């Protein structure tokens, strides 16, 4: 039950929250080469400008989701937007790379805004606007990134690395005012957060990503990497057992027993790991100097514009969803969606020497992601009770955030492995290796989504027979 605020402007504000969340990712990818040059850091260190935001987002998203399931929903949303504003200001200040990374870490709070927006749409919007709003929020998280990339590129060209951060800080401040004005309060649900569970999950994910990010430089068989991996897996295993026994779990893993929830989470985890590296790869490729033999020597703005087809294709996919859902099941649409990013990497692997080839690759990538991201929230919304929507969406968002961080770390790993000592740019084999890895992951996503589709079809047949 909601109290105290009008619904006027609520739908617009929820989409604004999704736009703000995508701004976090937009501040990372197109600026990677510029951050590396501006702060005089290595390729692996500059990649942390992207990975650390995704890591914090993965850690805080389930906490934010649990807080957002009860009376603290409004305060949690306001706090996350305010934190994002502070993080953007820190990222813009000329205070050195450590402070910049701290700002990028705090910006990770913004990645938890999407499940809060989705839960509010499910619980507080009129029924006739609910499904369309949920789909719009879902696809905005994909399409908004592509729009944000050229904007960030243009701002960086005009005002340096700090300019995009000042812009998003201002955007966050406007969003904060909107949230305070229109977001409804709620008296339903619970906001209990387990500190032990949060610590286990956060530490386990952090150690996992450190191992993945530094494995290429430290050596995959080195003692530090092996120890980090063992401790991380042990902590995550303990966390899972703790969650299954907790009276108020941070993430209700039992919800994964629901077929629709399991289908959305498994496929999005694989799809996100697979599709996410393409944008950083394209940005680094086109901004590499022509002396590398493969680089285009392009500006930040040009690199950002090359990612715009991703956004346009994602939007086009969202427009197709209402028509597709009249003829196909959610699971079949997701399976079809997996084929587009897979084909995008095939194009990138064999044809990336011209701008049109890269545009085609990014468009294919966006088309598939737009389909999957528009359908997944609908699957979850149909598969859980209204009171559990926020928690279920947080689990989904956690999977996406972890997958983004893993994809980011692994894409950089292939480039680092293909970069000679003393050099700043990778050999072409690094791009090939990353593309081949993503093709394998996306092929697995397609197989999994087909399996879920067949399982759903059997359940429908069994239910139909039982009802006769």
């Amino acid at each position: 039950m909601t109290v105290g605020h009008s619904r006027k402007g609520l739908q617009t504000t929820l989409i604004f929250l999704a736009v703000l969340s995508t701004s976090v990712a937009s501040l990372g990818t197109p600026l990677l080469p510029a951050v590396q040059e501006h702060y005089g850091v290595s390729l692996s260190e500059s990649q942390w400008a992207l990975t650390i935001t995704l890591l914090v987002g993965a850690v805080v998203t389930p906490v934010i989701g649990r807080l957002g399931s009860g009376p603290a929903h409004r305060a949690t949303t306001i706090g996350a937007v305010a934190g994002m504003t502070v993080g953007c200001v820190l990222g813009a200040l000329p205070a050195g790379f450590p402070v910049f990374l701290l700002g990028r870490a705090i910006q990770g709070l913004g990645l938890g805004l999407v499940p809060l927006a989705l839960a509010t749409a499910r619980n507080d919007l009129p029924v006739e606007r609910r499904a369309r709003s949920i789909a719009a929020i879902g696809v905005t998280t994909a399409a908004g990134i592509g729009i944000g990339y050229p904007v960030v590129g243009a701002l960086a060209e005009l005002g340096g690395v700090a300019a995009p951060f000042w812009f998003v800080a201002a955007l966050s401040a406007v969003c904060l005012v909107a949230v305070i004005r229109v977001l409804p309060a709620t008296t339903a649900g619970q906001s209990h957060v387990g500190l032990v569970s949060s610590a286990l999950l956060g530490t386990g994910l952090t150690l996992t990503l450190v191992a993945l990010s530094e494995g290429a430089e430290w050596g995959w068989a080195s003692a530090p990497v092996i120890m980090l991996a063992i401790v991380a897996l042990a902590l995550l295993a303990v966390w899972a057992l703790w969650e299954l026994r907790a009276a108020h779990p941070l993430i209700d893993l039992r919800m994964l027993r629901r077929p629709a929830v399991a289908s959305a989470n498994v496929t999005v985890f694989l799809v996100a790991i697979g599709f996410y590296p393409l944008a950083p790869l394209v940005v680094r490729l086109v901004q590499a100097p022509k002396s590398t033999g493969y680089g285009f020597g392009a500006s930040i703005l040009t690199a950002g514009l090359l990612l715009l087809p991703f956004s346009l294709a994602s939007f086009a996919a969202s427009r197709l969803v209402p028509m597709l859902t009249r003829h196909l099941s959610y699971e079949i649409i997701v399976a079809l969606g997996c084929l587009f990013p897979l084909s995008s990497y095939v194009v990138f692997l064999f044809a990336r020497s011209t701008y049109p080839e890269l545009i085609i690759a990014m468009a294919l990538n966006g088309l598939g992601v737009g389909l999957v991201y528009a359908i997944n929230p609908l699957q979850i919304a149909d598969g859980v009770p209204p009171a559990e929507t926020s928690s279920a969406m947080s689990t989904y968002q956690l999977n996406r955030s972890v997958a983004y961080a893993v994809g980011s770390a692994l894409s950089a790993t292939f480039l680092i492995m293909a970069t000679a000592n003393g050099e700043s740019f990778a050999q072409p084999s690094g791009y090939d290796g990353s593309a081949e890895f993503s093709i394998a992951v996306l092929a697995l996503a397609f197989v999994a989504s087909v399996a879920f589709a067949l399982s759903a079809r059997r359940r429908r047949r069994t239910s139909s027979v039982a009802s006769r």
Side-chain angles (χ1 to χ4, degrees):
M1 180 178 69
T2 59
V3 295
H5 283 260
S6 169
R7 287 177 176 173
K8 185 178 180 180
L10 179 58
Q11 183 177 4
T12 302
T13 300
L14 296 180
I15 294 175
F16 197 173
L17 285 172
V19 170
L20 188 60
S21 183
T22 61
S23 300
V24 177
S26 298
L27 286 172
T29 302
L31 297 177
L32 290 176
V35 167
Q36 183 177 350
E37 180 179 356
H38 181 77
Y39 289 104
V41 295
S42 66
L43 187 152
S44 62
E45 289 172 323
S46 69
Q47 191 70 22
W48 274 104
L50 180 59
T51 303
I52 197 168
T53 308
L54 301 172
L55 169 61
V56 172
V59 172
V60 304
T61 291
V63 177
I64 288 176
R66 178 52 64 187
L67 288 171
S69 297
H73 175 90
R74 177 176 157 81
T76 301
T77 306
I78 292 173
V81 176
M84 253 206 71
T85 307
V86 172
C88 289
V89 171
L90 289 176
L93 294 175
F97 192 62
V99 174
F100 172 80
L101 279 185
L102 176 61
R104 285 293 289 159
I106 297 174
Q107 289 164 40
L109 291 169
L111 298 180
L113 294 174
V114 172
L116 292 174
L118 289 169
T120 304
R122 167 72 183 271
N123 297 330
D124 298 303
L125 288 177
V127 174
E128 64 272 14
R129 288 194 291 164
R130 192 173 297 164
R132 180 173 295 180
S133 297
I134 289 174
I137 292 169
V139 79
T140 295
T141 62
I145 293 175
I147 295 172
Y149 285 149
V151 172
V152 167
L155 290 170
E157 287 287 329
L158 294 172
V161 172
F165 291 93
W166 286 121
F167 174 76
V168 178
L171 193 69
S172 299
V174 173
C175 187
L176 181 60
V177 173
V179 166
I180 293 172
R181 287 178 62 87
V182 307
L183 194 69
T186 180
T187 58
Q190 297 178 334
S191 297
H192 179 84
V193 175
L195 296 179
V196 173
S197 179
S198 302
L200 288 171
L201 177 62
T203 306
L205 290 177
T206 299
L207 295 182
T208 299
L209 291 177
V210 170
L212 290 174
S213 299
E214 304 300 333
E217 290 198 348
W218 295 352
W220 290 107
S222 64
V225 170
I226 292 174
M227 288 301 299
L228 283 174
I230 292 173
V231 174
L233 290 175
L235 287 173
L236 292 175
V238 172
W239 168 77
L241 292 174
W242 183 279
E243 288 292 274
L244 291 172
R245 297 184 178 186
H248 302 286
L250 182 65
I251 295 176
D252 190 355
L253 296 177
R254 294 180 181 85
M255 280 195 298
L256 294 176
R257 296 174 182 173
R258 299 176 183 269
V261 177
S263 174
N265 278 280
V266 171
T267 52
V268 80
F269 184 74
L270 294 172
V271 168
I273 288 178
F275 98 83
Y276 192 80
L278 186 60
L281 289 173
V282 168
V283 165
R284 290 193 183 276
L285 177 79
V286 299
Q287 291 190 60
K290 294 182 179 180
S291 59
T292 59
Y294 62 80
F296 291 44
S299 66
I300 302 175
L301 176 58
T302 301
L305 288 172
L306 278 175
L307 306 184
L308 185 57
F310 177 94
S311 174
L312 297 177
S314 296
F315 177 77
S318 72
R319 305 296 291 179
L320 292 174
V321 165
M323 179 191 69
L324 292 173
T325 53
R326 288 196 292 268
H327 304 285
L328 301 171
S329 68
Y330 289 159
E331 294 81 9
I332 289 294
I333 297 173
V334 170
L336 293 174
C338 292
L339 295 177
F340 290 102
L342 192 156
S343 62
S344 74
Y345 279 100
V346 174
V347 172
F348 182 78
L349 184 61
F350 295 105
R352 57 172 185 258
S353 59
T354 65
Y355 285 123
E357 291 167 345
L358 295 177
I359 290 172
I360 291 171
M362 290 306 305
L364 289 171
N365 201 270
L367 187 60
V369 173
L371 287 175
V372 174
Y373 278 18
I375 292 296
N376 281 163
L378 297 175
Q379 287 179 288
I380 294 173
D382 283 354
V384 300
E388 291 295 330
T389 302
S390 180
S391 181
M393 292 299 183
S394 294
T395 303
Y396 172 76
Q397 186 68 22
L398 170 67
N399 274 324
R400 276 173 49 169
S401 298
V402 172
Y404 289 164
V406 171
S408 170
L410 289 177
S411 67
T413 293
F414 285 103
L415 297 182
I416 293 167
M417 292 172 63
T419 303
N421 290 334
E423 297 292 331
S424 299
F425 302 97
Q427 296 297 314
S429 60
Y431 294 91
D432 293 339
S434 186
E436 289 163 354
F437 171 79
S438 291
I439 287 172
V441 173
L442 290 166
L444 183 59
F446 173 73
V447 171
S449 59
V450 169
F452 280 118
L454 294 175
S455 177
R457 186 178 181 183
R458 285 194 297 270
R459 287 194 304 275
R460 285 191 291 269
R461 284 183 175 179
T462 301
S463 177
S464 177
V465 171
S467 63
R468 291 176 183 174

